[in-house]
Amino acid sequence: MTLLDTPALRRLAEAATPTRPSCACRLQDARAWESITEERWPKALMEQVGTLRDPEAYEPTFEEFHPAGTRYDSPETPISVAHFPYNRCDVYRCSACARLVLRYTEFGGYYIDHRVRVVDAALIAG
């Protein structure tokens, strides 16, 4: 899988103009991190186009990037490839609407939580 850096992610995001406001993928409202179960993940529509996970990083940082005081779950939070959770994401594009999304899996003590966020090119930091 292609490792994407900040400029590559920005180029993909700028080129990914959704062709319609809503879609069968139902991901248009995931402007902040949203939990999405495997059953709800629109697998048939999603094409993995890259990853932000550096295979050379044994344990990517858990440090978050909030220069303007945002929070993890805020739609205005910058997308920083070098910071958590972006450094653990794969990048997908919907084949029906061209929407670009980030997806990662949160592993807690007794749970697994798949999360997704729409990529907004204007929020990509760096």
Side-chain angles (χ1 to χ4, degrees):
M1 187 50 49
T2 303
L3 178 62
L4 302 171
D5 58 9
T6 300
L9 180 63
R10 184 175 286 110
R11 282 191 302 275
L12 275 175
E14 288 170 347
T17 305
T19 56
R20 54 188 111 156
S22 62
C23 176
C25 72
R26 301 182 316 270
L27 297 175
Q28 65 273 0
D29 295 327
R31 292 184 40 233
W33 287 109
E34 301 289 336
S35 293
I36 186 165
T37 62
E38 279 297 311
E39 295 79 28
R40 289 183 44 229
W41 175 245
K43 184 177 182 178
L45 295 173
M46 304 310 288
E47 169 195 9
Q48 187 174 356
V49 295
T51 187
L52 304 180
R53 291 191 268 177
D54 183 350
E56 300 298 319
Y58 175 72
E59 185 62 41
T61 184
F62 280 102
E63 182 180 343
E64 295 183 24
F65 184 69
H66 300 286
T70 56
R71 295 175 35 95
Y72 164 90
D73 57 352
S74 170
E76 295 82 26
T77 296
I79 296 171
S80 174
V81 171
H83 293 88
F84 179 82
Y86 308 98
N87 58 2
R88 297 164 189 265
C89 288
D90 292 322
V91 184
Y92 290 85
R93 180 176 29 238
C94 176
S95 62
C97 69
R99 189 166 278 108
L100 197 68
V101 298
L102 302 171
R103 186 177 190 225
Y104 85 102
T105 303
E106 179 78 33
F107 294 96
Y110 296 100
Y111 69 92
I112 295 174
D113 188 11
H114 304 289
R115 297 187 183 167
V116 67
R117 182 180 182 191
V118 171
V119 179
D120 179 343
L123 293 175
I124 298 174

